[in-house]
Amino acid sequence: MNHNLMIKIKDLHKSYKMGSNSLHVLKGINFEVEEGELVAIMGSSGSGKSTLLNILGMLDLLDKGTYDLDGVPIKDLDETKAANYRNKFLGFVFQSFNLINYKTALENVTLPLYYQGFKRKEREEEALRYLDNVGLKEWATHLPSELSGGQKQRVAIARALVSKPKVLLADEPTGALDSKTSKEVMALIQKINKDGKTILIVTHEEDIAKMCSRIVRLKDGVIMEDKKNKMVKAI
């Protein structure tokens, strides 16, 4: 099976100005991800993993090197174009869920479709389908405050997937959850991956990384290790 190259990063460098000094965070990263991979990006605080995720997510710009996403060079993007690309290519899941507290689960999931100009009825039907996929159809009318941590993360995953992104980027998606709930969320992520979605997870937890098919370790802005992994079933 000839897999499509979804992410291709070549000789990526990123520095930040710190007063009169410059902090060199990423020091020549080469990194490719094929369509359908489930990749864990690991590294201690300060290793550059969050910076890499921000560049992959088009939330930050690279200084040097190239980044191609599904064959499209990501460069010279103004904020509008970057936002359009983000909506089209990427779904995001965060440690703190980032749900809107005064909107129901369903309304939270419909949001990306609202920005893409879908009509209300279509938005709601599609959002309900995705809530059903993550096992939360019955909770559609509930507010985030009425949901458990694991349920909130499921809503966030449904919201990230509803616009059919090519890549799902998850930043410590189980960081706020207990270990049983973490396994349930990872089981869901594995299922979504098995359906063909390319997923990158930033984590510092070894047991979460073991549930991915590949582990990339960063240290001081370089990739120390990049190896295929026999994926452990979450549950």
Side-chain angles (χ1 to χ4, degrees):
M1 203 162 109
N2 189 10
H3 275 288
N4 188 12
L5 202 55
M6 191 55 85
I7 288 171
K8 186 177 179 187
I9 277 194
K10 218 169 162 205
D11 194 31
L12 168 69
H13 288 263
K14 179 69 185 178
S15 298
Y16 291 104
K17 288 267 177 287
M18 309 283 282
S20 58
N21 298 329
S22 173
L23 184 65
H24 198 177
V25 184
L26 296 176
K27 305 166 183 169
I29 300 266
N30 291 294
F31 178 62
E32 292 183 352
V33 179
E34 287 184 352
E35 187 174 0
E37 281 196 272
L38 172 53
V39 184
I41 299 174
M42 300 199 75
S44 56
S45 175
S47 61
K49 64 182 192 296
S50 302
T51 303
L52 178 60
L53 193 77
N54 285 341
I55 289 170
L56 289 169
M58 291 182 254
L59 300 165
D60 206 345
L61 300 168
L62 47 81
D63 293 339
K64 180 173 173 274
T66 58
Y67 171 22
D68 294 287
L69 182 53
D70 198 28
V72 177
I74 303 301
K75 60 175 202 293
D76 310 327
L77 300 184
D78 59 40
E79 198 32 64
T80 315
K81 202 166 180 190
N84 285 339
Y85 275 6
R86 271 198 298 273
N87 287 339
K88 184 175 151 192
F89 283 116
L90 302 166
F92 291 93
V93 178
F94 302 96
Q95 177 174 340
S96 53
F97 321 126
N98 288 20
L99 297 175
I100 296 173
N101 289 326
Y102 57 85
K103 289 190 180 295
T104 63
L106 186 70
E107 289 167 337
N108 268 286
V109 178
T110 59
L111 267 182
L113 299 175
Y114 172 80
Y115 291 119
Q116 289 185 358
F118 282 76
K119 297 202 165 46
R120 182 172 185 154
K121 190 170 177 298
E122 282 174 33
R123 288 202 303 267
E124 290 188 350
E125 281 170 4
E126 196 69 350
L128 206 54
R129 203 159 66 81
Y130 276 84
L131 275 177
D132 197 18
N133 286 352
V134 300
L136 285 182
K137 197 175 185 174
E138 288 76 57
W139 296 81
T141 58
H142 289 250
L143 292 169
S145 59
E146 302 170 301
L147 302 174
S148 70
Q151 288 172 323
K152 285 184 209 175
Q153 197 56 294
R154 284 168 182 270
V155 173
I157 289 169
R159 180 187 58 188
L161 292 173
V162 74
S163 52
K164 301 184 178 66
K166 293 183 181 290
V167 179
L168 186 64
L169 296 174
D171 192 359
E172 301 278 2
T174 59
L177 307 172
D178 62 60
S179 63
K180 180 179 177 291
T181 312
S182 294
K183 282 207 169 76
E184 288 166 5
V185 166
M186 282 307 295
L188 175 62
I189 285 174
Q190 286 178 335
K191 173 176 160 282
I192 293 160
N193 170 249
K194 210 170 152 221
D195 293 339
K197 188 70 69 192
T198 310
I199 305 175
L200 275 69
I201 297 181
V202 164
T203 182
H204 64 275
E205 296 174 67
E206 290 289 342
D207 54 344
I208 297 298
K210 285 195 179 93
M211 295 173 202
C212 300
S213 56
R214 179 176 158 203
I215 301 177
V216 175
R217 293 179 199 274
L218 265 79
K219 191 179 176 187
D220 299 330
V222 294
I223 291 176
M224 296 291 288
E225 184 181 52
D226 181 348
K227 68 176 199 313
K228 293 268 188 230
N229 187 38
K230 190 98 184 73
M231 192 153 81
V232 177
K233 272 274 174 266
I235 294 186

